[in-house]
Amino acid sequence: MIYTYRTNIYKIHDYSRHLKNLTDDDKISRFGYLITDYMIDKLILDMCYHPSEHELWYARTDDTRVGWGHLARNPDNSWELAVSVDRDHQRQGIGNKLISEMLEFAKFHHISEIYMHCIEDNRVIQHLASKHELKTRERGAGERTAALEVPEPTFIEANKQLWKEQTEILKEMGKLRNRLTNLWTNPMLPK
Ligand SMILES: CC(C)(COP(=O)(O)OP(=O)(O)OC[C@H]1O[C@@H](n2cnc3c(N)ncnc32)[C@H](O)[C@@H]1OP(=O)(O)O)[C@@H](O)C(=O)NCCC(=O)NCCS
């Protein structure tokens, strides 16, 4: 079973490890060139400095995280979508599920334009792009851009996303309540 979650900066070390562990071919497909660990560290540092410009999702099996989705905001307010799945877990519907989650989030949060860079011979991502109605166009030098003007969510999509985000917030509130309980039940008060 595959589960997907939106996450925050606290899991960023796992995202970094995932990117560094991609095969060379997958790094080229994901970034358009063979990115080094140093460049990945720079990307991660930029995410730490500008957390509000980045949204992250991960997919996990029962015991391990196996794929990541990333939306990054540009200065012109368009967002770049990127996705990557561990080699051993590809072709199991995970990339597709992550893209669906990201697009649902985008619709609900009034993100109006999303695009993704695809290298020319990456047929899988081009297939997924067109499956999600991102229109691809050539950019030359073996690259394509797949872009989508994000439509308004349907009533059902909006409610689904509302419910999902409300559940996330209630989970966070549960954690805070536990902290508060611990604070009052295990105090180190002066005698
Ligand atoms: C691209 C990537 C994220 C896809 O993830 P995935 O989990 O393997 O993809 P899925 O299993 O969800 O979907 C694969 C789809 O491609 C189709 N496919 C498989 N091989 C194909 C091929 N040679 N040509 C066209 N379509 C193909 C599958 O049939 C499936 O489509 P379907 O759901 O309509 O049946 C993954 O391959 C990856 O991490 N690649 C390296 C990083 C990358 O390229 N990222 C994209 C650029 S940001």
Side-chain angles (χ1 to χ4, degrees), residues 26 29-30 81-85 89-97 116-117 122-125 127-128 131:
D26 284 350
S29 300
R30 163 66 177 79
L81 182 153
V83 62
S84 46
V85 175
H89 290 87
Q90 290 179 3
R91 310 299 174 265
Q92 295 172 27
I94 299 171
N96 185 46
K97 198 163 179 201
M116 173 164 66
H117 293 306
N122 191 345
R123 299 285 169 219
V124 175
I125 200 63
H127 170 79
L128 287 175
K131 189 167 164 172

Side-chain angles (χ1 to χ4, degrees), residues 1-172:
M1 186 75 180
I2 297 292
Y3 311 89
T4 49
Y5 300 91
R6 188 157 73 94
T7 185
N8 56 25
I9 209 92
Y10 294 117
K11 300 226 165 43
I12 207 163
H13 60 290
D14 267 2
Y15 183 42
S16 161
R17 192 166 40 220
H18 161 80
L19 292 176
K20 288 176 182 173
N21 284 339
L22 290 174
T23 63
D24 286 357
D25 283 349
D26 284 350
K27 282 180 183 162
I28 292 170
S29 300
R30 163 66 177 79
F31 293 96
Y33 64 99
L34 185 54
I35 192 165
T36 60
D37 286 0
Y38 172 73
M39 293 301 288
I40 291 172
D41 285 335
K42 277 184 76 174
L43 168 75
I44 297 293
L45 195 58
D46 181 70
M47 293 174 73
C48 294
Y49 275 122
H50 306 103
S52 61
E53 314 285 279
H54 298 272
E55 297 290 344
L56 271 183
W57 285 257
Y58 66 85
R60 72 164 176 81
T61 59
D62 286 325
D63 48 25
T64 176
R65 294 193 190 110
V66 294
W68 289 81
H70 183 173
L71 279 178
R73 193 205 320 247
N74 292 306
D76 67 359
N77 253 347
S78 66
W79 289 72
E80 180 176 351
L81 182 153
V83 62
S84 46
V85 175
D86 291 348
R87 200 27 91 99
D88 293 347
H89 290 87
Q90 290 179 3
R91 310 299 174 265
Q92 295 172 27
I94 299 171
N96 185 46
K97 198 163 179 201
L98 284 165
I99 294 172
S100 298
E101 293 275 333
M102 288 188 273
L103 293 180
E104 274 171 21
F105 174 90
K107 284 181 187 177
F108 188 71
H109 289 276
H110 307 292
I111 291 174
S112 57
E113 195 190 338
I114 281 198
Y115 71 90
M116 173 164 66
H117 293 306
C118 320
I119 59 171
E120 195 71 52
D121 47 9
N122 191 345
R123 299 285 169 219
V124 175
I125 200 63
Q126 284 173 37
H127 170 79
L128 287 175
S130 67
K131 189 167 164 172
H132 289 278
E133 295 174 359
L134 281 91
K135 292 175 193 63
T136 60
R137 64 178 168 77
E138 263 182 76
R139 300 197 311 151
E143 275 211 45
R144 282 175 178 271
T145 299
L148 176 69
E149 275 178 33
V150 184
E152 291 290 308
T154 62
F155 180 75
I156 292 174
E157 285 171 334
N159 273 292
K160 194 173 153 205
Q161 190 65 23
L162 189 66
W163 187 254
K164 202 184 296 170
E165 294 196 25
Q166 179 179 283
T167 309
E168 285 168 13
I169 292 169
L170 289 174
K171 242 194 230 165
E172 289 301 314

